[in-house]
Amino acid sequence: MLEVSVRHRFEGFALDAAFKAPPGVTVLFGRSGSGKTTIINTVAGLLMPDSGRIASGDWCLLDTESGIRLKPHRRRLGYIFQEGRLFPHLTVRQNLAYGAWFAPKDAPRASTAGVVDLLGIGHLLDRRPGALSGGEKQRVAIGRALLSAPRLILADEPLAALDEARKAEILPYFERLRDEVSVPILYVSHSPSEVARLATTVVALDAGRVVAQGPAAEVLGNPGILPAGAREAGAVLTARVARHHADGLTELDAGGLPLFLPKVPQPEGGRLRVRIAAHDVILSRARPEGLSALNILPGVVHEVRPGEGPGAIVALDTCAGRVLARITRRSANVLGLVPGAEVHAIVKTVSVAPLDVGGGGRTKR
Amino acid sequence: MLEVSVRHRFEGFALDAAFKAPPGVTVLFGRSGSGKTTIINTVAGLLMPDSGRIASGDWCLLDTESGIRLKPHRRRLGYIFQEGRLFPHLTVRQNLAYGAWFAPKDAPRASTAGVVDLLGIGHLLDRRPGALSGGEKQRVAIGRALLSAPRLILADEPLAALDEARKAEILPYFERLRDEVSVPILYVSHSPSEVARLATTVVALDAGRVVAQGPAAEVLGNPGILPAGAREAGAVLTARVARHHADGLTELDAGGLPLFLPKVPQPEGGRLRVRIAAHDVILSRARPEGLSALNILPGVVHEVRPGEGPGAIVALDTCAGRVLARITRRSANVLGLVPGAEVHAIVKTVSVAPLDVGGGGRTKR
Amino acid sequence: MTDWLGPAEWSAVALSLQVSFWATLVSLPLGIFVAYALARWSFPGKQVLNGLVHLPLILPPVVTGYLLLLTLGTRGPIGSVLADWGIVFAFRWTGAAVAAAVMAFPLMVRAIRLSIEAVDPKLEQASATLGASPVWVFLTVTLPMALPGIVAGAILAFAKAMGEFGATITFVSNIPGETRTIPSAIYAFLQVPGGEASAMKLVIVSVVVAMGALLLSELIGRRVTARVGGR
Amino acid sequence: MTDWLGPAEWSAVALSLQVSFWATLVSLPLGIFVAYALARWSFPGKQVLNGLVHLPLILPPVVTGYLLLLTLGTRGPIGSVLADWGIVFAFRWTGAAVAAAVMAFPLMVRAIRLSIEAVDPKLEQASATLGASPVWVFLTVTLPMALPGIVAGAILAFAKAMGEFGATITFVSNIPGETRTIPSAIYAFLQVPGGEASAMKLVIVSVVVAMGALLLSELIGRRVTARVGGR
Amino acid sequence: AAASMTSALAEIETNFEAATGHDLVVSLAGSSALARQIQQGAPADIFISASTDWMDRIEADGLIEEGSRFDLLGNSIVLAAFGTETAPVEIGPDLDLAGLLGDGRLAMALVDSVPAGVYGKAALESLGLWDDVEAQVAQADNVRAALAFVAAGEAPYGIVYATDAAAEDNVTIVGTFPPDTHPAIVYPAADLASRDVPAEAEFLAYLRGPEARAAFERQGFTVLTE
Ligand SMILES: Nc1ncnc2c1ncn2[C@@H]1O[C@H](COP(=O)(O)OP(=O)(O)OP(=O)(O)O)[C@@H](O)[C@H]1O
Ligand SMILES: Nc1ncnc2c1ncn2[C@@H]1O[C@H](COP(=O)(O)OP(=O)(O)OP(=O)(O)O)[C@@H](O)[C@H]1O
Ligand SMILES: [Mg+2]
Ligand SMILES: [Mg+2]
């Protein structure tokens, strides 16, 4: 468990953040300028905070009180910088190999071929960064960090410059790192679906302070604290793969309720997380019939929280867990949704977006 | 109308692209490394292509055949670079003012205060770029380009580093540029919602070639040609603001059918575009009752196109226009959806995301 | 202090400062121009220009001085033309400044050139897209960003000018109050028995002056670097 | 061609090359180290070190040569210690190399320092996060990225060494075959009436050699720059 | 004037200016540099050279007033040794100079071009010593630098002007070369043809006068005028 507690003042900006990052992916979430990169830099040792303590178990990276300041090169990090920072004088191949030169020879190491393949940079290996496109640079930067056999990965918006398809290819790799290699990951992202999919823990920042932290499901299920407002609210459910159907659908078992998804890679019996965005849920009092939507979760209204606009968030308890629905207040009135009311949540199969399906991780709460 | 036709070879990459950019926003869309930045650079005059012609009406920027090569500084561009490129020796204020020094004194000019406000960089004016966060840099870069009184804006993923809330604030500004100031804009983006909202014309690129181009509604409605696959398909409808309701909803009139949205800024009678993503549409044979969804569009199945996975795209013709729905093939079978079948498209109010609502632009087709 | 050095020595110190100052100041614009041309343009004869600039470094100073005497002397091909216009270098302090400038030129150009080459052309491109013509790009981006190197180049030239001797004495001789700079005075002192003490005083003065200039350039350099904000 | 220059001249040419080559090569590591220290560290006495490095530029070469003689001569405080170890500079070509190296040192350090300062510290940080210790950061990032400046500095030093005269002759005199470099030979020729023609031949030789070195450095510099890819 | 006359001329300048009210400007450099500058039209009135060669050259070029040249000063060359108590030696053909040197160097000014070196070489040749020591000669660019080698103990012996050696504490004059072993060491002076200033004649006369003589002699020169 990584514990971070730092205070630092820039002119016009004060950082005062403390959080705990349990094993898995801890996502730093917050508006531009809220201090995400600054925190990552203190963990990397590139910025010496005015005061603070950063430690992982008994491995202490920084403790200003006792004067411990581990040099960056002793921290064994894989830092994916927000701005690439590839070495312009080295080829892509040499950039990728750079970290491995310095890693202990017996460190567990990702296969270069595998990472190169995953990132689709095989045809670029002999080029220099100056001749790469923006997204290509970013992919090489990811590869360089992953291949350095790090004990801790710091990823500052690693996928921002990539197209959706490429993101969809790379995200599962971070999941595997989280689940199989169990490298702790500090991850900065603006994308709710990335957060939902990867995060074990979410730390929400605002103006240099932590405004919320906790397990992903909890923080994401609370529309009040998420920076971008209600649009990003959604529930994260844990489910088990029940069956792969012949027509390309996978049936999940979420607390006894069936959920249909486009085929997922997990084997039958495997556990995974599914994010259901609040705005993708339609509610119906009666059990709906004859719809193209396959997933219908019966539940009981737990709470109706009016939003700032014409909308409201309805939280309902189903056997699969707490599900959020964002509907108009008009509909809430028409349907008579009050706590205790029985409703059906209708979720389109495909609106459980591929990006929002992740391996089970450690969020089995 | 900007006409671009360029050929250029890098080692290992050949660009051969020709497209027409009518007034408005032309979005270049394509995977990482497909040649978007390369094209923008030829328009900016920073890259001299092996051969080609770039002209806007009788204003010729480049014609390798007749030897015309306008110098970059004579092109009056506002280029928002993919990597910022702020001047490190100037303050933010000076960076913003830079372009204005060189613009003709009588050129129509955006108000500095307005742009600074829009971008939320008022507190940064006396800093230098070295002390800015990634997103802050990007916002200053946007401001610098907008304030140079350009005749043509080139924006290379201008919003990639920003959070959703900030994007939602800045996008309307680009719309205003498009609609009110009528500066043509070449815009690179990976985000389908940005594309749908801004694009007058979409040019889809793959490996240096144009694979599709045309009005936004047409290209976006054709799932086959979009790089990231069916998930990005969606229909763009044109509608008129019918009424602003007291409970914060706006009622649109789309070809006679009512559509409810969270309040939009356009006045009653104003025209706008609405994107309905294919995966946000649920189909029902019977007219559904008692749902939280307020928008129900009756229509007739035009075509059912099976996708690669377990899904299918159903195109239906409604009075509002062509609407796409992405459903499972299983549902398509169960519901008996064949061309000519009558169905109802159910669209949640709020799933018409704020980003996907744009001013009417020039797409009144 | 005034007693410590005689009036003749003070005059040498003042003259050295004057000569070095003007040598640096006047050659700076040309140095920047040549450095820019060498860094960013390619043109026929570029290598010849480059060689010419370095020539005074390679040649023994006596030779440089002699060549200056032959060309810029009142009977030299250029000197005689200039003399018709009333510009005379021979045996004037201006000639000492010319000699110092010529000798310091390669150092100045190298330093400035390295700094200009280190300016990211992408920033210059950005400037051009914002409407800056090449001259303005140079003035608003290249020049300010190369400032540390320009300051370094100027100070290097100034220091070199302060120490320049061989070419100066060969070209404009060693005339008190006109061309007898500190190094020439030191030379004269060293040529006679017992002159070491007087020479050493002048050495100390010139070291102090040059160190002052160096410190100043370090301060300027640091401020410029700090402004750019940790880069 | 062999006839054009006498054996004495050829020996001077060969010696000059030898002296300049070794002067450059041996002082390069120290030059890089000092340049790095000045560019990236702050330590007490930094300005003193900086001043010391520039001293040979400021002092008339004769003074520098004289100071070298006093310190590195067989009876000088350092020279006598070295002599006990069997290292003697006085009247040896190695002494000429030392004099040339000392005179060229400020030029070398300035050029290298400017290049090191131009290396983006962010890349050095990236290297550190990937596990490179400061020494490795320097070797794998700073050094290769500063290469153009290091080449420039080395060539500048070489050129200066080829032209160095005052300090050399004052320190190690002019012994044919041992310390009579091209500039010494040229000087000797110029001291007698009518010696200009012989001197001019040597001038041409030294110009040709130095231009060759310059061209080489330009080529290397261009290749390095091209490698970094348009930056 | 030749740079080796710096101190003497400084004294003479002060006195001359005080006595006549004229403003005298003395430019001190190597004779070769001065001669070349005169050839290139230097605005000089009087030239005092450290060697006859350069004066000859100037005269041949017709740059001096006819009949104005005269020999101003003389000097002698000596064998100087490092240290204060080196035993004197007899300078003659029997001198075992090579033996004295051991593996040390003999410091001289440039033996083919600088006057002190030329005289020294001539003296050694006429004594038949040159071939023995030629390989051990370390040539400096001027006689003062040669002396510095001896004074610093770098070279055990050197051949320099008597004027220089006498004033240096760290060296001993161990012998003087007989005048007949080398061409006469003279410093010729002449009025240059380029310009005519009334004070020229006055100064030339002053140089021959008793005050100048005293000043030169204080510096160890032999004054050749009467
Ligand atoms: N200077 C160059 N030399 C060689 N190849 C280059 C050079 N610049 C770009 N390329 C290649 O050209 C292709 C197109 O690059 P471009 O920058 O236009 O891509 P892009 O569409 O902007 O991608 P991204 O979304 O990643 O920014 C890439 O494969 C890139 O590697
Ligand atoms: N060197 C500096 N000096 C002064 N202020 C700084 C410096 N570096 C960063 N800041 C300020 O600190 C704040 C936090 O910066 P940081 O880079 O951590 O933001 P961020 O959360 O990473 O934002 P983004 O999403 O835009 O990258 C910003 O307001 C920024 O302006
Ligand atoms: Mg950041
Ligand atoms: Mg790009």
Side-chain angles (χ1 to χ4, degrees):
Chain A
M1 169 120 85
L2 183 72
E3 288 175 62
V4 177
S5 151
V6 287
R7 281 156 171 274
H8 192 71
R9 291 196 72 85
F10 286 123
E11 213 183 290
F13 178 80
L15 179 73
D16 181 1
F19 61 89
K20 293 196 165 85
V25 175
T26 301
V27 169
L28 298 180
F29 200 80
R31 295 192 63 156
S32 166
S34 57
K36 306 180 293 296
T37 303
T38 307
I39 289 179
I40 298 249
N41 278 340
T42 63
V43 177
L46 300 181
L47 179 82
M48 208 45 76
D50 296 340
S51 69
R53 192 185 133 83
I54 300 172
S56 173
D58 49 6
W59 183 45
C60 183
L61 299 172
L62 175 86
D63 189 336
T64 46
E65 245 170 59
S66 58
I68 298 174
R69 282 153 196 228
L70 214 57
K71 288 270 157 53
H73 69 277
R74 301 206 186 284
R75 298 193 180 192
R76 300 264 324 274
L77 308 163
Y79 187 167
I80 305 164
F81 292 90
Q82 196 170 6
E83 354 79 67
R85 300 202 193 179
L86 297 179
F87 301 122
H89 60 297
L90 301 180
T91 61
V92 168
R93 192 191 305 279
Q94 290 164 329
N95 266 284
L96 292 175
Y98 192 90
W101 295 341
F102 302 107
K105 293 299 154 259
D106 55 349
R109 193 183 304 272
S111 114
T112 306
V115 170
V116 164
D117 227 47
L118 166 79
L119 297 168
I121 51 180
H123 59 299
L124 308 173
L125 290 178
D126 294 316
R127 295 224 206 129
R128 278 173 217 280
L132 299 183
S133 82
E136 287 164 351
K137 277 187 196 135
Q138 195 55 35
R139 284 182 271 157
V140 175
I142 295 173
R144 184 178 69 172
L146 296 182
L147 289 172
S148 67
R151 267 167 52 164
L152 174 60
I153 290 179
L154 306 174
D156 199 348
E157 300 190 42
L159 306 181
L162 301 183
D163 52 291
E164 302 290 324
R166 187 60 76 181
K167 278 185 200 174
E169 283 166 38
I170 298 178
L171 262 181
Y173 191 83
F174 279 101
E175 288 176 339
R176 287 227 303 281
L177 280 177
R178 177 190 66 191
D179 300 336
E180 292 167 22
V181 194
S182 48
V183 183
I185 302 178
L186 263 189
Y187 194 102
V188 173
S189 173
H190 289 306
S191 151
S193 69
E194 259 174 70
V195 176
R197 178 147 177 204
L198 278 180
T200 315
T201 309
V202 172
V203 176
L205 288 167
D206 190 35
R209 302 181 163 270
V210 174
V211 291
Q213 65 174 307
E218 214 168 79
V219 177
L220 294 176
N222 182 347
I225 59 174
L226 274 189
R231 249 194 81 71
E232 288 168 2
V236 177
L237 306 180
T238 313
R240 203 175 47 74
V241 177
R243 237 178 94 201
H244 293 301
H245 288 269
D247 60 359
L249 293 180
T250 297
E251 182 180 344
L252 303 183
D253 172 351
L257 293 172
L259 268 179
F260 289 89
L261 258 74
K263 186 157 188 158
V264 298
Q266 281 79 358
E268 290 185 7
R271 296 179 68 83
L272 43 71
R273 302 195 300 163
V274 176
R275 174 172 186 260
I276 298 174
H279 63 83
D280 276 339
V281 177
I282 294 177
L283 298 182
S284 168
R285 285 306 290 261
R287 182 167 186 95
E289 304 286 341
L291 288 186
S292 64
L294 295 172
N295 299 316
I296 292 166
L297 309 173
V300 174
V301 174
H302 171 80
E303 184 189 1
V304 178
R305 192 167 352 155
E308 324 94 62
I313 294 280
V314 179
L316 49 155
D317 291 321
T318 71
C319 302
R322 170 83 46 92
V323 170
L324 300 182
R326 177 159 161 74
I327 62 176
T328 57
R329 268 182 289 182
R330 176 183 296 199
S331 299
N333 290 343
V334 169
L335 297 182
L337 297 181
V338 291
E342 289 188 9
V343 285
H344 295 83
I346 305 167
V347 182
K348 282 199 62 174
T349 312
V350 287
S351 83
V352 181
L355 289 191
D356 298 349
V357 189
R362 288 185 185 70
T363 342
K364 295 155 196 154
R365 28 187 331 264
Chain B
M1 168 120 87
L2 183 72
E3 288 176 62
V4 176
S5 148
V6 288
R7 283 156 170 272
H8 191 73
R9 292 195 70 87
F10 286 125
E11 215 184 287
F13 177 80
L15 178 74
D16 182 0
F19 60 90
K20 293 195 165 86
V25 175
T26 302
V27 169
L28 298 179
F29 200 82
R31 295 192 62 155
S32 166
S34 58
K36 304 179 296 293
T37 302
T38 307
I39 290 180
I40 298 251
N41 278 339
T42 62
V43 177
L46 300 181
L47 179 81
M48 208 44 78
D50 295 341
S51 69
R53 196 184 130 80
I54 299 172
S56 172
D58 50 6
W59 182 46
C60 184
L61 300 171
L62 175 86
D63 189 339
T64 47
E65 245 171 56
S66 58
I68 298 175
R69 283 157 194 222
L70 214 58
K71 288 270 157 55
H73 69 280
R74 299 204 187 288
R75 298 192 179 191
R76 302 262 325 271
L77 307 163
Y79 187 167
I80 304 164
F81 293 91
Q82 196 169 6
E83 354 78 68
R85 297 201 195 182
L86 297 179
F87 301 123
H89 59 298
L90 302 181
T91 60
V92 168
R93 191 191 307 279
Q94 290 166 328
N95 266 284
L96 292 174
Y98 194 89
W101 296 342
F102 302 108
K105 293 299 157 257
D106 57 347
R109 192 183 304 271
S111 113
T112 305
V115 170
V116 164
D117 226 46
L118 166 79
L119 297 167
I121 50 179
H123 60 298
L124 307 174
L125 290 178
D126 293 317
R127 295 225 205 128
R128 282 174 212 279
L132 298 184
S133 82
E136 287 165 351
K137 277 187 194 134
Q138 194 56 32
R139 285 181 270 156
V140 175
I142 295 173
R144 183 178 70 172
L146 296 181
L147 289 172
S148 68
R151 269 167 51 164
L152 174 62
I153 289 179
L154 307 173
D156 198 348
E157 302 190 40
L159 306 182
L162 301 183
D163 51 293
E164 301 290 323
R166 189 61 77 181
K167 276 186 201 174
E169 282 166 39
I170 299 178
L171 262 181
Y173 191 84
F174 279 101
E175 286 176 341
R176 286 227 304 282
L177 281 176
R178 175 190 68 191
D179 301 336
E180 293 166 22
V181 194
S182 49
V183 183
I185 302 177
L186 264 188
Y187 194 102
V188 173
S189 173
H190 288 308
S191 151
S193 69
E194 258 173 70
V195 175
R197 178 148 178 202
L198 278 181
T200 315
T201 310
V202 172
V203 176
L205 288 167
D206 189 37
R209 300 179 164 271
V210 174
V211 291
Q213 64 173 306
E218 212 169 82
V219 176
L220 294 178
N222 182 346
I225 59 174
L226 275 190
R231 250 193 78 70
E232 286 167 5
V236 177
L237 306 180
T238 315
R240 202 174 47 74
V241 177
R243 237 180 92 202
H244 292 301
H245 288 266
D247 60 359
L249 293 179
T250 297
E251 183 179 342
L252 303 183
D253 173 353
L257 294 171
L259 268 179
F260 289 90
L261 257 72
K263 186 158 190 157
V264 298
Q266 281 81 359
E268 290 186 7
R271 297 179 67 83
L272 43 70
R273 303 195 298 163
V274 176
R275 176 172 186 259
I276 298 175
H279 62 83
D280 276 339
V281 177
I282 295 178
L283 299 181
S284 169
R285 285 306 289 261
R287 180 167 187 94
E289 303 288 340
L291 287 186
S292 64
L294 295 172
N295 299 315
I296 293 167
L297 308 173
V300 173
V301 173
H302 171 81
E303 185 190 0
V304 178
R305 194 167 350 150
E308 325 97 58
I313 294 281
V314 179
L316 49 154
D317 290 322
T318 71
C319 302
R322 170 83 47 94
V323 170
L324 301 182
R326 177 156 162 73
I327 61 174
T328 57
R329 268 182 289 183
R330 177 183 295 195
S331 298
N333 290 343
V334 169
L335 298 182
L337 298 181
V338 290
E342 288 186 8
V343 286
H344 296 83
I346 306 166
V347 181
K348 280 200 65 174
T349 313
V350 286
S351 85
V352 181
L355 290 188
D356 297 349
V357 189
R362 291 187 182 66
T363 343
K364 298 155 196 154
R365 30 186 327 262
Chain C
M1 181 74 190
T2 339
D3 289 353
W4 187 62
L5 288 181
E9 282 81 41
W10 276 118
S11 125
V13 171
L15 186 69
S16 261
L17 286 175
Q18 181 183 1
V19 163
S20 306
F21 177 77
W22 287 105
T24 309
L25 196 74
V26 171
S27 60
L28 193 56
L30 184 65
I32 294 174
F33 177 79
V34 171
Y36 187 81
L38 290 176
R40 286 286 154 85
W41 295 340
S42 56
F43 50 92
K46 175 169 168 173
Q47 288 318 317
V48 175
L49 175 65
N50 192 25
L52 221 61
V53 165
H54 283 82
L55 215 52
L57 203 63
I58 301 154
L59 296 179
V62 185
V63 174
T64 308
Y66 186 45
L67 293 176
L68 284 175
L69 184 64
L70 289 182
T71 50
L72 291 180
T74 32
R75 304 189 184 184
I78 303 175
S80 56
V81 174
L82 289 176
D84 291 347
W85 301 347
I87 303 173
V88 178
F89 291 127
F91 311 108
R92 302 277 170 83
W93 74 265
T94 48
V98 168
V102 167
M103 292 299 289
F105 202 61
L107 315 188
M108 179 188 273
V109 168
R110 259 300 172 183
I112 299 178
R113 174 177 173 181
L114 277 174
S115 282
I116 289 179
E117 280 172 346
V119 174
D120 192 343
K122 293 191 166 177
L123 292 177
E124 297 175 333
Q125 290 182 346
S127 164
T129 64
L130 286 162
S133 65
V135 172
W136 279 112
V137 170
F138 176 74
L139 290 178
T140 59
V141 177
T142 322
L143 198 64
M145 295 213 44
L147 209 55
I150 293 172
V151 172
I155 291 297
L156 212 57
F158 182 82
K160 171 72 197 172
M162 286 289 293
E164 186 3 68
F165 162 67
T168 309
I169 200 169
T170 312
F171 177 29
V172 290
S173 189
N174 180 355
I175 304 167
E178 188 72 41
T179 63
R180 176 182 282 202
T181 56
I182 296 180
S184 295
I186 292 176
Y187 167 79
F189 280 127
L190 285 180
Q191 289 308 301
V192 292
E196 286 87 356
S198 312
M200 209 39 73
K201 284 189 194 168
L202 284 176
V203 165
I204 290 171
V205 172
S206 79
V207 167
V208 167
V209 168
M211 293 296 130
L214 266 182
L215 264 179
L216 195 74
S217 83
E218 291 289 321
L219 285 180
I220 298 176
R222 213 174 306 158
R223 268 186 74 169
V224 171
T225 315
R227 273 209 339 209
V228 174
R231 219 188 174 218
Chain D
M1 182 68 192
T2 339
D3 289 355
W4 185 64
L5 287 181
E9 281 80 39
W10 275 119
S11 126
V13 171
L15 188 68
S16 263
L17 285 175
Q18 182 183 359
V19 164
S20 306
F21 177 78
W22 287 106
T24 309
L25 196 74
V26 172
S27 59
L28 193 55
L30 184 64
I32 294 175
F33 177 79
V34 171
Y36 186 81
L38 290 176
R40 286 287 153 86
W41 295 341
S42 58
F43 50 92
K46 176 169 169 174
Q47 288 319 318
V48 175
L49 175 64
N50 192 26
L52 221 63
V53 165
H54 283 81
L55 215 52
L57 202 65
I58 300 154
L59 296 179
V62 184
V63 174
T64 308
Y66 189 59
L67 293 177
L68 283 176
L69 183 64
L70 291 184
T71 51
L72 291 181
T74 32
R75 289 173 200 248
I78 303 175
S80 56
V81 175
L82 290 177
D84 291 344
W85 302 348
I87 304 174
V88 177
F89 292 128
F91 304 125
R92 301 279 168 83
W93 73 266
T94 49
V98 168
V102 167
M103 293 299 288
F105 202 60
L107 315 187
M108 180 188 271
V109 168
R110 259 298 172 185
I112 298 177
R113 176 178 172 180
L114 277 174
S115 282
I116 289 179
E117 280 172 347
V119 174
D120 191 342
K122 292 191 167 178
L123 293 177
E124 297 175 333
Q125 290 182 345
S127 163
T129 65
L130 286 162
S133 64
V135 171
W136 279 111
V137 170
F138 176 75
L139 290 177
T140 58
V141 177
T142 322
L143 198 65
M145 296 213 43
L147 209 54
I150 292 172
V151 171
I155 292 298
L156 213 57
F158 182 83
K160 172 70 196 171
M162 287 290 293
E164 193 350 77
F165 162 66
T168 309
I169 200 165
T170 310
F171 179 30
V172 293
S173 93
N174 174 344
I175 302 166
E178 186 73 39
T179 62
R180 176 186 276 215
T181 55
I182 299 180
S184 289
I186 293 176
Y187 180 79
F189 282 127
L190 285 180
Q191 290 309 302
V192 288
E196 288 88 353
S198 313
M200 214 34 81
K201 283 189 195 169
L202 283 177
V203 165
I204 292 170
V205 172
S206 80
V207 167
V208 167
V209 169
M211 293 295 128
L214 266 183
L215 263 178
L216 195 73
S217 81
E218 291 290 321
L219 286 179
I220 298 176
R222 212 174 307 158
R223 269 184 74 170
V224 172
T225 316
R227 270 207 342 206
V228 174
R231 218 234 128 149
Chain E
S4 49
M5 301 164 70
T6 305
S7 318
L9 281 176
E11 195 179 334
I12 289 170
E13 179 184 356
T14 319
N15 294 340
F16 176 72
E17 286 177 349
T20 65
H22 292 300
D23 186 17
L24 177 70
V25 176
V26 183
S27 176
L28 299 157
S31 300
S32 58
L34 293 169
R36 286 211 178 79
Q37 288 163 359
I38 290 164
Q39 287 177 322
Q40 292 300 318
D45 305 311
I46 290 168
F47 178 40
I48 308 176
S49 171
S51 81
T52 49
D53 287 0
W54 282 107
M55 188 61 93
D56 293 347
R57 169 54 66 100
I58 297 290
E59 188 167 21
D61 288 348
L63 293 172
I64 63 178
E65 298 277 359
E66 246 168 272
S68 70
R69 172 174 172 173
F70 66 99
D71 291 341
L72 176 63
L73 299 175
N75 209 340
S76 54
I77 51 171
V78 298
L79 185 64
F82 170 67
T84 46
E85 40 221 62
T86 313
V89 296
E90 180 70 26
I91 294 196
D94 300 333
L95 176 68
D96 180 16
L97 188 52
L100 284 176
L101 290 172
D103 56 2
R105 295 278 177 180
L106 177 64
M108 297 175 72
L110 287 169
V111 297
D112 292 322
S113 43
V114 171
V118 176
Y119 296 134
K121 180 179 175 187
L124 291 176
E125 275 173 343
S126 72
L127 293 171
L129 301 174
W130 176 247
D131 292 341
D132 298 342
V133 298
E134 180 179 2
Q136 277 168 276
V137 172
Q139 308 174 40
D141 58 328
N142 61 60
V143 68
R144 299 282 316 164
L147 182 63
F149 286 131
V150 182
E154 216 49 56
Y157 291 92
I159 299 177
V160 297
Y161 287 129
T163 47
D164 294 316
E168 177 60 62
D169 293 339
N170 276 343
V171 304
T172 318
I173 297 176
V174 295
T176 304
F177 286 88
D180 56 355
T181 56
H182 56 82
I185 303 174
V186 289
Y187 289 59
D191 181 6
L192 296 174
S194 57
R195 301 196 308 189
D196 265 316
V197 189
E200 285 173 8
E202 220 174 308
F203 181 64
L204 285 175
Y206 185 87
L207 279 179
R208 296 168 193 254
E211 288 167 51
R213 166 186 291 265
F216 285 130
E217 281 177 346
R218 259 196 297 281
Q219 300 295 326
F221 289 105
T222 322
V223 179
L224 299 179
T225 55
E226 54 292 329

